């Protein structure tokens, strides 16, 4: 049982699902977002509105924190200028504040888009080199390297969870491989928090999908064993899928539509279009 | 649901088992063999007698095909001269005809014998280099390289299924590792056909055997998850097995008896002898 | 069914658990220890008191043996001088005597401590280089290299089982990854004995733990598929665990407390202390 | 002969040495710095004062440029806040402006400090993962990933020259391995500019030192063959060197003093102290 | 001094340059081609007109041969049908006849085009996988695999020399990396012949070019140390080179124009066009 | 200039050649052997007769030593019993005594025979796994692992020099690749001594031979750049060499005759026989 966990992005689509599970792992949960709380607070939960790119807003929240779960960010491609504060600078602020407060670990919502230009059929491991597909992905590369720096120079641990397709159900053929169920998201973050020691490491956030394109074999020590399998939805999805096109990088690279979206334009919109067409 | 699949070697031991499952995946199945059909046709199936090494026999069959499942070949070691047309040239004919017809993908019955000289205890992945054990294995190496060429230069996808021991039951100690059950064969080919995009890739055709000597970890994106396990037969097989001999390459290399059979002589006969002795 | 198995260290904590299972795999089991038998003998079991570092005591026991299961050793860190005979010289004596008697294989109780200085989060495979953490671990490195030598020069097979935490239950947070249950120990040794051919190989002795820090993917041919999972004990263990400390190598290296114990001092005692504190 | 090259950081210690050689490779050289020119201009050289983190100052300079040689940056560790504009943001501005102007390639002054936490005796290649030693090193990691992104999404080439110890002479024992002579710096940049095509690549900027700790074997296609050898200075340097200390990371990691300097404090000052003590 | 060497393709552009050097390494040189001799014979040289795809023409020539240097082939891309006999079948005939005659080794003119689809800036080693760029390259892949098969099953050694740009002088920017001078060709073949034992191996046929895109580090045992350097021609070539285009695979892949030429069309013609344009 | 170096095996064939060079690197050289001195002592050299397997003989010699150069051993294959004290135990004694005396580093005469079963044409690096060819080679594996242990647990540095064929001139075809000249031996040891920090590392002791079968690329930081080349003797040696036989492991493995000599029998004698036959 930890004394205190700080969760950022607590009002977000994924972050909000972590509030209840994290509240059970600590005496005090501080949920942070730039927005208001989206639902009732747990008994040991407090809500703090703050901009994670502002050191003086973040610093007081960190006092006494043992673990920080950092999910605040714009979850899509934008221009570099738009992402600079919420996705790049906020990472620096969070790590620096966490370090100064004596926290032990940061669990980070990294993304497949840090390695989105790798071929889907390459079967990469967690130690494949960075190949971002967007400025969004670049912000994840930046933060992972920052996390490694803080570990190697300052002993602040980090678990970078590269989230793939975190949706209620898998939504398109790509997601048969890349889906991360709600339950598996929670399990992954729980393991990232309760693993006794981690140093710096990276884990792929996907469910136990038959068609998983990547392997967590090298970080099995974390104990993340996903339970859900997108294959349960395969027949439905494939029946209404658009025609496959191996010349389309959006179908051949891990990043999916982010692999072809112009830099600075929304990849989620591209994803949505893909789904509609499907 | 595909418009049309062409299956070659449809009268063969393995090919004939694919007719029914493939017929359910397409509007039209064209089953091709140099022999007559061995059983009743499915409603959407037509049978074509053809020599796959003859371009003018193959070309008309390909019209409108989306996927070609190429299983026609002599399934054993023979002299190079005997294998030249059915195992080497037919591959060229199939790929060239498929390409010209605008097909999207070829699924190919490759074989463990493309890598049969690798040590069984080396634990190789699908990206291990070619080490053929026979002229038969060499024809598989040739076709895999041809398949990669057509993908890289012409965009024709290929899934090369390296079939190990495709028998009703595992028949000897080696097969405790190398068995491919009937059901898993079918599943592997189904995934090779319905995976939305594949580019060029290689998958090992073995069941979910406890003693599997090779790993499909790098092609998990295909979604092939075998269900059967040769270990269910282990007690029986080991009880009547011949004395192990680690100096015998037939027991120490992936290719089994093919690793020691003289070039050009039947390896299946050698396998049969081994079974009798066992 | 083997003619004869010789088991050394048969009175030890782990060795004694192998007597019954091994007795079912052969016509004659010779159980050897420097101590007396600790329980009733199986019908086909004989007990021999012998010092495994003495060639003239070992030689007669080996006559007619097909497989030797060598578990005799001091199971802890000691000064080099203390380990020299029981852990180093005995290995030479066992292999030399087994070879001269015409045995086919030695199954060896190696240890995680042969690679104990590797980082826990590195996800190593069985082909990672030696990085011993103690003189005890060094004796395992020495024996593995000796085993490889006898295989490559003399054709004597060897399966080196690197045992991790072989206890009744997992006892501390590290053991959530490293536990080897009683049942899985037995299965591992059974597979090491009944695998038809093995050449020289290394297998990690851990259960099917969610948090397994290492991978047996490259020796899947052995057929070792552990059934138990330390995660069943995770809640209990983590609840009373000491504060994690990533600056403490005992928490960050595979060898655990052996990674920090001074050379020549008992690592098991260090382990015990750790458990008490926990 | 290129139409136009833009050189940033042209008043810097290294950048200023590139003005004359680059002026011979193009019709027009635009030398850019936040400071005034430090010497006479070449006939085809113009000087532009600009802040590379300001898009509207940089954009007009890029018009018609074929190659950009980006050396502007604070060449030392500082607080993240101090480095943000000159070392991080300027990279984005340069790449974005170069891309919009239709430039073909950016040659970048990256640094050993992008991989400074790797062990000196590990013998890494250019494809080793990022392990920054400072915020300064982190800015190099960020820019390398940015450069790869612009190449993979937008076709803008990049050669990232990881400069080691760019000084007149080697100054301490570490530099016996890491020295980059003035002549070899120029040659490296010349090759990075005149190599017909490069895609994205990384090259280590060291001379032909006997004690070179890293290898450029995988980027030999660039044609960089350094001529100078720090070993010519070995006797002098070793004679007055401080006592070696393998427990001191500054002596055991590629980054040297940067591997131990506190984040945000000057590593060059640390280096200087080291030299004085030597 | 060998008893007898057989050289095929002796009238070819490269083969003819090997006649004199090989004649000095043996008592008897048999020079074979489908054409007549192109110059005076050495004292110990005989000329034989033969079609290397015809077993009965090749067999008598092999009698007593110790080493066969097989350079006969169409040295360009053609349709598969055109290459079948001279480039594929002839390899089988040569290896089979050499084996039956008791020859010890075949030295083979393989080609960069066996791996022509690899990126130029990937810095591959001799163990990179096959990625042919043409049917021509496919014939080299086929023969290398055949050569490995004869070595592993029959003990016939093979040195596969992957020739890059074997011309009088380097002719275009690509050749600054890929040039193989006349003298270095001869040295490579001499080492391939006089190395006491070789087993099966592959060596890249390039000179000591500053811009060499590949590495022979793993076959240094052969003793091939090229002396010439295309860089001596760099200024001339770059001065008149066409505009670089990193989107053109012909400039970014090892195979050069063969990487983009349509299958079955002459790549040499494409190369010539490139040179003219340059 | 070091205070004190201890050289063991100072009367041996190789050790005796190190006395003069080492004497120039330190204020005091203590030359140790079980035999008497073989020549005049340097001014700063003292001679000590001692058995390196006896702690009480070794301990007093180590007082004040900074670097120990450990060359004492039986330089040939013998029975395990014969090698136990001089080649195994002495290593423990040397490292333990050096550690207790506060020495900084041990430079060790390891041997190719630690990896002698690797194929000559595999082109291994210094991080290839141990594959000893003899008990002699096993003693080198043991000592290298011991050396790594003392480094990782106690901070005692070690440079393990794997000496290949250390003779006046290369003596047979194998030595064209494996020769280590007198001058290069001295240079290697000088670098191993004067490299400021080394941690634990392994370096191959071969000259700059054209036919070098192994690579020191990963330990270039040591600065060992051999000057001599066995190729200068190639014509002579090849002219009188025995017939090559690729089926003979003595010609195909790094260990040469040691790869085939029965365990416990002299490999040097086998080498001598080979030379006579040559």
């Amino acid at each position: 049982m930890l004394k205190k966990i700080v969760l950022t992005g607590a009002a977000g689509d994924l972050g909000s699902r972590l509030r209840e599970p994290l509240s059970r792992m600590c005496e005090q949960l501080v949920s942070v977002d730039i927005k208001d709380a989206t639902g009732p607070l747990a008994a040991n939960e407090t809500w703090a509105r703050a901009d994670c790119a502002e050191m003086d807003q973040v610093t007081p929240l960190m006092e006494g924190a043992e673990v920080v779960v950092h999910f605040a960010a714009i979850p899509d491609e934008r221009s570099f200028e738009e992402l600079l504060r919420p996705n790049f600078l906020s990472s620096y602020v969070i790590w620096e504040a966490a370090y100064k407060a004596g926290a032990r670990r940061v669990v980070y919502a990294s993304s497949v888009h840090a390695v989105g230009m790798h071929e889907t059929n390459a079967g990469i491991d967690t130690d494949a080199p960075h190949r971002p597909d967007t400025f969004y992905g670049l912000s994840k590369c930046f933060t992972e390297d920052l996390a490694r720096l803080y570990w190697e120079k300052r002993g602040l641990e980090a678990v970078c969870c590269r989230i793939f397709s975190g949706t209620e159900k898998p939504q398109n053929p790509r997601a048969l491989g890349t889906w991360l169920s709600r339950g598996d998201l929670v399990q992954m973050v729980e393991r990232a928090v309760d693993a006794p020691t981690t140093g710096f490491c990276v884990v792929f956030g996907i469910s136990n999908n038959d068609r998983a394109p990547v392997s967590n074999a090298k970080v099995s020590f974390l104990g993340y064993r996903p339970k859900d399998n997108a294959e349960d939805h395969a027949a439905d999805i494939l029946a209404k899928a658009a025609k496959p096109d191996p010349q389309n990088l959006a179908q051949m690279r891990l990043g999916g539509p982010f692999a072809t979206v112009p830099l600075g334009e929304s990849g989620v919109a591209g994803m949505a279009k893909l789904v509609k067409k499907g």
Side-chain angles (χ1 to χ4, degrees), chain A:
Chain A
M1 180 66 80
L2 297 165
K3 294 255 187 257
K4 176 175 169 182
I5 295 176
V6 174
L7 167 68
T8 74
D13 179 42
L14 299 184
S16 60
R17 295 164 204 280
L18 300 174
R19 290 169 50 199
E20 193 275 332
L22 289 175
S23 73
R24 284 183 285 103
M25 301 181 82
C26 60
E27 298 173 9
Q28 184 192 2
L29 173 66
V30 177
S31 292
V32 182
D33 208 288
I34 205 164
K35 300 183 190 165
D36 281 332
T38 53
L41 297 182
N44 62 341
E45 184 184 13
T46 55
W47 190 270
R49 281 192 60 174
D51 178 344
C52 290
E54 293 293 331
M55 188 70 82
D56 53 6
Q57 294 182 33
V58 170
T59 296
L61 305 172
M62 291 292 180
E63 194 179 327
E66 286 187 85
V67 171
V68 179
V69 179
H70 180 40
F71 269 60
I74 293 182
D76 192 5
E77 174 66 345
R78 290 284 185 280
S79 72
F80 181 79
E81 288 82 355
E82 285 173 275
L83 295 176
L84 182 57
R85 292 188 76 262
N87 290 35
F88 288 87
L89 293 192
S90 61
S91 291
Y92 165 68
V93 169
I94 291 292
W95 257 265
E96 183 68 14
Y99 167 71
K100 285 203 171 137
R104 192 157 49 78
R105 184 181 302 164
V106 181
V107 175
Y108 175 58
S110 187
S111 164
V112 56
H113 301 295
V115 291
M117 295 307 284
H118 281 281
E119 288 77 5
T120 302
N121 74 355
I124 64 167
D125 278 303
T126 41
D127 55 5
H130 284 156
R131 290 180 68 182
D133 52 24
T134 45
F135 290 130
Y136 175 73
L138 181 65
S139 74
K140 303 306 184 185
C141 297
F142 164 78
T143 305
E144 290 186 2
D145 286 340
L146 173 84
R148 188 162 188 166
L149 174 63
Y150 270 79
W151 162 245
E152 296 209 297
K153 291 297 288 278
R154 290 181 158 176
L156 177 56
E157 293 189 317
V159 180
C160 297
C161 303
R162 288 188 187 152
I163 294 167
F164 279 59
S165 302
T167 54
E168 198 65 37
K169 291 185 182 178
Q171 299 182 328
N172 50 48
R174 173 175 173 262
L176 294 178
T178 60
W179 186 48
L180 175 66
S181 75
R182 303 312 193 189
D184 288 331
L185 165 69
V186 168
Q187 190 211 140
M188 178 173 59
V189 172
E190 286 174 341
R191 286 299 83 69
V193 169
D194 77 12
T197 54
T198 63
F200 166 83
C201 67
V202 166
V203 60
F204 290 127
I206 52 171
S207 282
N208 180 28
N209 305 320
D210 278 9
R211 309 188 192 219
V214 295
S215 166
N216 275 322
K218 292 193 177 169
V219 285
S220 58
F221 84 98
L222 273 179
Y224 171 51
R225 286 213 184 168
K227 306 296 182 201
D228 296 308
N229 188 338
E231 202 66 16
D232 299 339
H233 306 265
D236 281 0
I237 285 173
L238 292 176
K240 54 186 181 183
K243 200 174 180 54
D245 177 8
Q247 302 313 312
N248 181 354
L249 292 195
Q251 298 185 28
M252 298 296 285
R253 301 293 176 98
L254 285 178
F258 280 59
T260 53
V261 74
L263 287 186
E265 297 186 12
S266 168
V268 170
M271 196 96 68
K273 268 184 257 169
L274 197 80
V275 173
K276 275 182 205 148
K277 274 195 304 190

